Amino acid sequence: MSGRATQTSLFDLEAAAVEATVSGPVAEIAVPVPVRRTFHYRVPEGLVGRLQRGSRVAVPFGGRKSIGFVLAVHERAPAHAARLRELFAVLDDEPIFPEELLGFLEHAAAHYLHPIGDVLRTAAPALETRAIRALRASGVLEADESLRGRAVAARVETWVVRTGLAPQGRLGPAQQAVLEALRDGTPRPLRDLARAGRDVRAAVQALVRRGLLRVERREAAADPYFATPVEPDTAPVPSDAQARAIEAIAQAVRARRADRFLLFGVTGSGKTEVYMRVIAEVLREGRGALVLVPEIALTPQLVARFRARLGDSIAVLHSGLGDRARHDAWRALRTGRVRLAIGARSALFAPVADLALLVVDEEHDPSYKQEEGFRYHARDMALLRARRCGAVAVLGSATPSVESFALARAGELRLLELPRRGAGRPQPRGVGGDLRSHRCGPSGHPLLSGPLHRAIEDALGAGEQVVLFLNRRGFSPSLRCAECGRSLECPACSVALTEHDRGRTLRCHYCDHVRPVPERCPGCGGVSLERIGLGTERLEEDVARIFAPARVARLDRDVASGAAAEVVLERMRRGEIDVLVGTQMVTKGHDLPGVTVVGALLADQSLAFPDFRSQERTFALLAQVAGRAGRGARPGRVFVQTWQPDEPAIACAAAHDYVGFCRGELERRRQLGYPPFGRLVAIRLDGGDEQATLVAARELVATARACVEVSEGRVAVLGPATPPIARIRGRWRQRILLRSADDASLRRVALAVLERIEKGLAPVHVSLDVDPVNML
């Protein structure tokens, strides 16, 4: 739940719908507004009997028209509403949300204390019906409607291509960033480039005028994942552990039991093969399956494998799809013509008919948590949806979340293990990288120790590939004046600006502010600006120089996202890249069989985060990136370079000891009362005035503590506290944390805080996050 606190009451909003005297049936409608309630409308005589639960309708709301969702039709109006306005029209011949999905979404809204109208808006597809087009033509629905039914004609995209001409004269920071993103000569969609910052479109236009770029208009495929044919594959003989897992899950599917499994398999052990075998059986029975992956970048590789085994009758759903592809996929699933859906977080809402199996791959990944608007966790909600509809749920990971491991220990998830890699391949051998004893190697580079340098040389000499992981983007993380000691900070955020574009620009990673690197310190006018540390951009350049003529590429958000990331990965699989440098994008479940050496540089960097999950995230990152090594015919080695080799996350990751790490982590959390031994609700405030934001936070703390007294002290109220980054985009931030092992008491206090927000506070933005993942 989030929204800007105002003085408008709930009854004022109900009055916005009041107009005609109530007679006959009344529809209960969820309108996509930030209010945790529904609204009532009189059903015109001509529409009586046509309204179905889950359908969309056009309704008047305040001074505008809106699209709402039918939740119920009542014989009479609520007692407090004497006069109601009429709804305009029914927009769907059949409900866009089947009953199973709608009931799940109502449950999810209640769980996260979020407005049901906004939840349904988040889940709704981009479908335009004849009724919507007619209402637009007549002016009843405006073109800028908050919840649009969008046309699904063939989509035309703008692609950007470098001409090959060398730049002449001075380029602005945004223009330099665009040319850098296109430096390998591969055309890219403008929409992908535009994600890098606000000034990209203007920069592209300027570069086109200078002859450095050209743009092309290309018709986008309805679904880009099916543009290239794939060769059918032959199912391999499963290992004994795979066979046991396949039979256990398939038996639950056949018996129609809503069992829940945790598939714990080391990297390269064949978890995807288990998924495909069980899904094949589900499809043979004429039932449906849904597979979630954490990142869009993982989707193309997974879809290709599923197509090779199961054919092209697959719907791909994620936020990067165009309206036409999403429309086609939604319709195919809704009608049962297609019974398998694959996608990222938002695919959780796919209307899969007769859902029998729900798989969450890489279930530990924090990107399953939506951080804006409706703040749901796709893994947790997948378990809820599966339970509600009687489907089998499978959570898969080589590094399961601590919460999932605890559920398995408690017997709430059935543990299935794949302890060995396929084809008898060994786990990559961990090589100590204690930076206290292994300093710079032959190159003198601060991040390339002697053992790692020699391993890279050996791998390149043998025609093998290397992955270097550094979880820090940019050329240099910050610039500092050597004369006054001041770091160059973003004018709108409490963070240092990161140097990019080979030292030509400074960029804020929170608000996208960009400026050229100054010649003098803005504070004292000094001319000595020194770089502090280095990021993946600088590392890529250094590695290419040190190990020339090796072919070096980079994978991070500055150069690749969505389809562009898959281009880099495919070049890696084809052997066109020798060394891949990247951020955590390289730690995901990519299958790169040529990689034999992995270097985790500054492996302990994430331990410094002020977050109770920092140990768990560090362990998962290191274990996952190590898993990229030795997946082919040759064994792999992983170098974990750290100043803190004795930290549990570091030591256990180097030894591939997941169980040992989790046991220690669970004991630490038990002592502190953190999940899974307690639940959390985060309340975040931000405002333009620092003092007003703090005053509002104190009011909410007072409300929470007053409620805690009534609840006999079962809830801890922590804060208000200023987050580590005190200001973002010019707005000052405060944070409050509610913690309790008693769900009912925690919910009672959270609802009291929400009611205080809805009564009106200082002009601040407030969001409430149930079961938060991001603690910053």
Side-chain angles (χ1 to χ4, degrees):
M1 167 74 185
S2 66
R4 192 172 303 280
T6 68
Q7 300 295 331
T8 304
S9 73
L10 297 182
F11 294 103
D12 290 337
L13 287 169
E14 178 68 52
V18 173
E19 189 173 90
T21 302
V22 177
S23 62
V26 171
E28 183 178 355
I29 307 297
V31 180
V33 292
V35 178
R36 293 180 303 113
R37 55 156 301 171
T38 56
F39 300 88
H40 295 84
Y41 290 86
R42 188 166 68 86
V43 180
E45 185 174 345
L47 298 181
V48 173
R50 288 189 54 197
L51 268 67
Q52 300 180 70
R53 182 170 146 81
S55 295
R56 294 176 301 175
V57 291
V59 297
F61 192 83
R64 62 186 177 89
K65 286 82 176 176
S66 181
I67 295 177
F69 303 90
V70 178
L71 297 183
V73 179
H74 306 287
E75 293 183 1
R76 60 180 63 90
H80 68 272
R83 296 170 63 84
L84 297 178
R85 301 173 78 176
E86 285 188 350
L87 58 84
F88 289 126
V90 178
L91 304 178
D92 301 301
D93 296 329
E94 63 176 354
I96 63 166
F97 293 119
E99 181 56 39
E100 174 268 316
L101 182 53
L102 181 58
F104 157 66
L105 292 168
E106 289 175 310
H107 195 152
H111 176 85
Y112 288 106
L113 305 177
H114 198 78
I116 180 61
D118 194 54
V119 170
L120 297 181
R121 168 168 53 187
T122 301
L127 302 181
E128 177 145 311
T129 65
R130 288 190 298 272
I132 291 177
R133 288 193 292 271
L135 290 171
R136 292 204 192 288
S138 64
V140 173
L141 287 178
E142 293 87 351
D144 61 349
E145 175 50 51
S146 63
L147 181 68
R148 301 187 299 273
R150 295 181 287 273
V152 292
R155 182 165 55 93
V156 177
E157 288 187 313
T158 300
W159 285 66
V160 184
V161 186
R162 284 200 70 161
T163 61
L165 296 179
Q168 300 291 330
R170 183 175 176 81
L171 297 175
Q175 295 176 29
Q176 295 170 9
V178 169
L179 292 180
E180 174 68 16
L182 295 166
R183 67 190 176 99
D184 64 355
T186 303
R188 292 180 61 182
L190 178 59
R191 61 185 173 84
D192 282 359
L193 293 173
R195 295 191 183 109
R198 301 174 183 173
D199 303 325
V200 167
R201 293 180 185 275
V204 168
Q205 293 174 354
L207 292 169
V208 168
R209 289 193 296 269
R210 297 176 67 165
L212 300 175
L213 299 179
R214 71 173 187 273
V215 294
E216 299 175 356
R217 302 283 284 172
R218 303 180 182 180
E219 182 174 329
D223 192 332
Y225 294 103
F226 297 85
T228 304
V230 296
E231 291 294 325
D233 77 346
T234 301
V237 176
S239 67
D240 291 344
Q242 283 178 315
R244 287 192 295 270
I246 292 165
E247 179 56 27
I249 301 168
Q251 191 176 71
V253 170
R254 289 192 292 266
R256 294 181 179 255
R257 295 194 311 265
D259 289 358
R260 309 192 301 176
F261 297 90
L262 175 60
L263 182 61
F264 170 32
V266 300
T267 55
S269 61
K271 293 183 289 294
T272 302
E273 182 63 29
V274 172
Y275 305 152
M276 291 194 294
R277 295 281 187 132
V278 180
I279 290 170
E281 182 160 337
V282 167
L283 298 178
R284 281 195 297 269
E285 293 182 1
R287 305 184 68 196
L290 172 59
V291 180
L292 301 182
V293 294
E295 297 273 359
I296 293 175
L298 290 179
T299 308
Q301 181 180 348
L302 191 70
V303 170
R305 291 192 63 183
F306 273 75
R307 289 176 63 203
R309 179 69 57 82
L310 303 172
D312 284 354
S313 188
I314 302 171
V316 180
L317 293 167
H318 60 72
S319 57
L321 283 180
D323 292 342
R324 183 185 180 193
R326 184 173 292 274
H327 169 274
D328 292 345
W330 185 277
R331 283 295 188 201
L333 291 167
R334 181 73 178 87
T335 60
R337 181 168 55 84
V338 171
R339 293 187 173 272
L340 171 59
I342 300 175
R345 182 177 59 223
S346 59
L348 173 68
F349 309 125
V352 179
D354 194 11
L355 184 60
L357 178 67
L358 211 162
V359 174
V360 183
D361 192 29
E362 308 289 356
E363 64 86 25
H364 67 278
D365 199 295
S367 61
Y368 277 122
K369 175 72 172 184
Q370 169 69 29
E371 295 291 353
E372 299 291 337
F374 174 34
R375 292 171 170 81
Y376 65 95
H377 198 301
R379 179 199 62 210
D380 298 347
M381 290 299 97
L383 292 175
L384 173 64
R385 184 175 180 186
R387 189 187 73 196
R388 286 182 55 90
C389 70
V392 173
V394 179
L395 309 183
S397 178
T399 55
S401 65
V402 171
E403 290 88 344
S404 294
F405 181 74
L407 287 175
R409 287 182 63 178
E412 295 186 43
L413 295 177
R414 183 176 169 186
L415 181 63
L416 303 172
E417 296 188 68
L418 304 178
R420 296 179 181 83
R421 285 186 160 187
R425 298 187 185 98
Q427 284 276 77
R429 180 168 59 90
V431 180
D434 188 346
L435 292 175
R436 296 171 301 182
S437 55
H438 295 293
R439 295 298 179 95
C440 303
S443 68
H445 195 282
L447 296 187
L448 297 176
S449 65
L452 177 57
H453 183 105
R454 288 189 291 274
I456 295 173
E457 285 185 327
D458 292 345
L460 295 176
E464 299 164 356
Q465 292 174 306
V466 177
V467 168
L468 298 178
F469 165 57
L470 176 64
N471 209 18
R472 182 187 285 167
R473 293 159 53 204
F475 197 78
S476 172
S478 62
L479 288 181
R480 183 175 62 195
C481 176
E483 298 179 33
C484 71
R486 173 182 172 180
S487 294
L488 275 64
E489 290 195 349
C490 173
C493 306
S494 302
V495 294
L497 291 169
T498 299
E499 191 180 18
H500 280 264
D501 308 318
R502 292 184 169 83
R504 293 189 291 267
T505 62
L506 295 173
R507 182 177 303 163
C508 176
H509 288 174
Y510 288 86
C511 72
D512 291 331
H513 171 77
V514 178
R515 60 159 296 175
V517 173
E519 296 180 359
R520 295 177 175 272
C521 171
C524 71
V527 295
S528 299
L529 297 177
E530 57 185 17
R531 296 184 172 111
I532 308 299
L534 59 87
T536 49
E537 185 182 327
R538 172 73 178 274
L539 181 63
E540 176 194 23
E541 184 177 282
D542 291 347
V543 169
R545 172 178 49 80
I546 294 168
F547 297 101
R551 298 163 298 176
V552 182
R554 175 162 47 107
L555 185 62
D556 59 28
R557 282 192 295 163
D558 293 327
V559 297
S561 61
E566 180 60 20
V567 170
V568 175
L569 293 168
E570 188 56 36
R571 289 177 58 211
M572 189 76 175
R573 295 186 196 105
R574 291 196 302 263
E576 297 172 4
I577 297 170
D578 299 314
V579 182
L580 181 62
V581 172
T583 58
Q584 59 185 313
M585 290 180 72
V586 304
T587 72
K588 308 299 182 180
H590 309 303
D591 189 13
L592 305 171
V595 174
T596 59
V597 171
V598 165
L601 316 182
L602 298 181
D604 45 25
Q605 180 177 286
S606 54
L607 290 175
F609 279 49
D611 186 335
F612 74 92
R613 289 191 177 93
S614 62
Q615 285 274 350
E616 178 184 4
R617 286 180 178 159
T618 299
F619 175 89
L621 280 172
L622 296 179
Q624 291 287 338
V625 73
R628 299 319 104 205
R631 295 172 76 99
R634 300 176 182 178
R637 289 180 292 169
V638 55
F639 294 77
V640 180
Q641 295 192 162
T642 175
W643 296 98
Q644 305 173 72
D646 298 326
E647 282 290 329
I650 305 290
C652 290
H656 305 295
D657 185 8
Y658 168 82
V659 173
F661 169 75
C662 264
R663 285 173 177 162
E665 182 68 4
L666 281 170
E667 181 55 34
R668 186 178 71 88
R669 293 195 193 178
R670 186 196 305 276
Q671 295 173 6
L672 298 173
Y674 281 116
F677 303 102
R679 290 186 61 203
L680 303 175
V681 174
I683 303 160
R684 301 186 182 96
L685 302 90
D686 63 84
D689 183 271
E690 183 178 14
Q691 188 60 30
T693 305
L694 178 59
V695 168
R698 287 171 175 166
E699 288 191 46
L700 293 182
V701 166
T703 299
R705 287 181 174 154
C707 187
V708 167
E709 293 179 8
V710 178
S711 302
E712 301 178 356
R714 295 191 183 96
V715 180
V717 181
L718 309 176
T722 302
I725 302 175
R727 190 171 59 122
I728 293 179
R729 295 184 178 90
R731 298 182 66 81
W732 297 94
R733 308 168 70 220
Q734 287 290 321
R735 181 181 63 194
I736 304 163
L737 196 64
L738 310 179
R739 185 181 67 200
S740 179
D742 185 273
D743 286 355
S745 296
L746 182 65
R747 185 176 183 83
R748 191 179 306 117
V749 175
L751 284 170
V753 171
L754 274 179
E755 290 170 3
R756 179 66 188 89
I757 293 169
E758 289 164 350
K759 288 178 181 177
L761 279 169
V764 296
H765 181 270
V766 186
S767 67
L768 189 145
D769 189 355
V770 176
D771 302 325
V773 170
N774 179 8
M775 303 302 294
L776 298 181

